[in-house]
Amino acid sequence: MHRLRKNNKKIFLLLLILDILLASCLFIKSDLANDKKTITAHLTKDQEKNCDSLLINTYLTKIIEASDEFYKEYYRILPTLNYYSIYVKEYISDSRLSQITFTSKPYLGPHDTIGVDEITFTADYLGSVELKSFVHLLSYHLPDNLKDLELKDFPEHYYKD
């Protein structure tokens, strides 16, 4: 019986130490999270631009895939998208899910923009990325020398007057 009490005391002390360590870790993590919010709130324009470039470069192949899927029924060749024809519109994130929306301006030929699109992706905490939406906002008419690339016209409401 005396041995059982000794073991209970050891277990109790061990649990107490583990609780203190866990509480300390949570406190430190909370402080780091607050510091991170403070740091991101004070990004310079250059740092913000670098973050946008990082996001664009990371998602570039997925943006191109989504664009190709949409435009393949409208043109004989697929339009070009490069890092400089894509912009970060917005991003929101919590601990489980992030969502990012890009604005893209695909082009044909010598940089003849054919439209403006908004492409939204979600990424979960495991790194799984999914296309959430592809919205074609605006279409531009091709110049006469590229008209033969069109398979069909977009509905008129997509064209800006």
Side-chain angles (χ1 to χ4, degrees), residues 69-81:
E69 186 62 31
F70 177 78
Y71 284 103
K72 70 181 181 185
E73 68 181 275
Y74 293 99
Y75 297 103
R76 293 186 195 290
I77 62 170
L78 295 172
T80 302
L81 273 172

Side-chain angles (χ1 to χ4, degrees), residues 92-111:
I92 51 177
S93 186
D94 62 31
S95 60
R96 293 181 317 105
L97 192 68
S98 299
Q99 179 175 302
I100 185 163
T101 301
F102 297 95
T103 301
S104 68
K105 295 182 177 183
Y107 60 89
L108 290 172
H111 299 285

Side-chain angles (χ1 to χ4, degrees), residues 133-146:
S133 68
F134 184 101
V135 179
H136 182 68
L137 301 174
L138 188 61
S139 291
Y140 296 105
H141 293 284
L142 285 174
D144 291 338
N145 64 324
L146 297 177

Side-chain angles (χ1 to χ4, degrees), residues 47-61:
Q47 290 168 326
E48 190 175 319
K49 214 171 165 181
N50 287 341
C51 288
D52 287 357
S53 292
L54 173 66
L55 288 167
I56 290 166
N57 291 342
T58 301
Y59 281 84
L60 186 58
T61 55

Side-chain angles (χ1 to χ4, degrees), residues 78-129:
L78 295 172
T80 302
L81 273 172
N82 290 312
Y83 66 93
Y84 53 81
S85 61
I86 301 168
Y87 310 92
V88 176
K89 180 180 179 189
E90 69 178 355
Y91 46 88
I92 51 177
S93 186
D94 62 31
S95 60
R96 293 181 317 105
L97 192 68
S98 299
Q99 179 175 302
I100 185 163
T101 301
F102 297 95
T103 301
S104 68
K105 295 182 177 183
Y107 60 89
L108 290 172
H111 299 285
D112 290 304
T113 303
I114 59 171
V116 178
D117 306 309
E118 280 186 3
I119 307 165
T120 302
F121 295 95
T122 57
D124 66 16
Y125 66 97
L126 295 173
S128 300
V129 175

